Amino acid sequence: MTRADAPPAGCLRSAAGLIGLAVLAPLALAVRSVRAWRRGTGVRIERTRGHLPMTGGPPLARIDTTADVPSAALEAFRRRLTEAVVRVAERVRQGDDVYHLLYRDRAADDTVVLPIGPQIQELAERLHLVLGSAPMAGRTAVWLTLPRNRRVVDFVDPFGYDPEAAGEPERLLAGSGMRWGMASGFAPRGPSVAFRLVLYVPSESAPAVEAVLEKVLGAGG
């Protein structure tokens, strides 16, 4: 996944940040770096903010959160991460929002396009499943919120699009006409799991969204 804004130097940014939201060559090395860096048993979080230029509209704020989570805290953190997304969805919701999920099915060599539905509860249930799905480890999940009259298949070819290709998924998101969206990924290794969640939200909502993330997940370093 491309990064429009380079993060400041920092242990977690230089390790978990390398993992990105795709299967990169240094994946194992990056996760080992997180493992070596870990101190104590707490969850470590880093957060950066930038922007995503949108085709035909104002840019969206880009809020990028990485977390290094010990195995003992894994399930509790998944619940907190899901809760944070639910609160964000509630804050930026419009009446005809419909949620969609894209991810690459390596076995079939195509991209799964899954309409989730209009309910925040449906989004929460699917996100929690994806965050705990072993086949999704090291993969990119792309989440879009579109108006009811817009379909993902109108601008995504499932057989030709790869959300883990160079420049993705931000190239797709920039031209999608989405109201808000996110990309998620995680990579387990040894006693901890590195998570990454990148939220793309209206710029005017960014301070409130960051406040939600800080309250539910903790302050970023």
Side-chain angles (χ1 to χ4, degrees), residues 47-49 62-63 205-215 218:
R47 188 170 300 117
T48 62
R49 178 172 164 184
R62 181 183 190 276
I63 304 172
S205 300
V209 168
E210 287 184 306
V212 166
L213 295 174
E214 182 170 342
K215 181 177 180 179

Side-chain angles (χ1 to χ4, degrees), residues 38-58:
R38 166 163 293 288
R39 297 293 183 271
T41 58
V43 175
R44 300 295 183 93
I45 292 176
E46 295 285 353
R47 188 170 300 117
T48 62
R49 178 172 164 184
H51 69 278
L52 174 68
M54 298 293 288
T55 302

Side-chain angles (χ1 to χ4, degrees), residues 69-75 189-193:
V69 184
S71 296
L74 194 54
E75 186 53 39
R189 181 75 177 185
S192 66
V193 177

Side-chain angles (χ1 to χ4, degrees), residues 15 28-39 68 189-192:
L29 175 61
V31 177
R32 283 197 298 270
S33 298
V34 174
R35 184 180 179 183
W37 170 79
R38 166 163 293 288
R39 297 293 183 271
D68 177 29
R189 181 75 177 185
S192 66

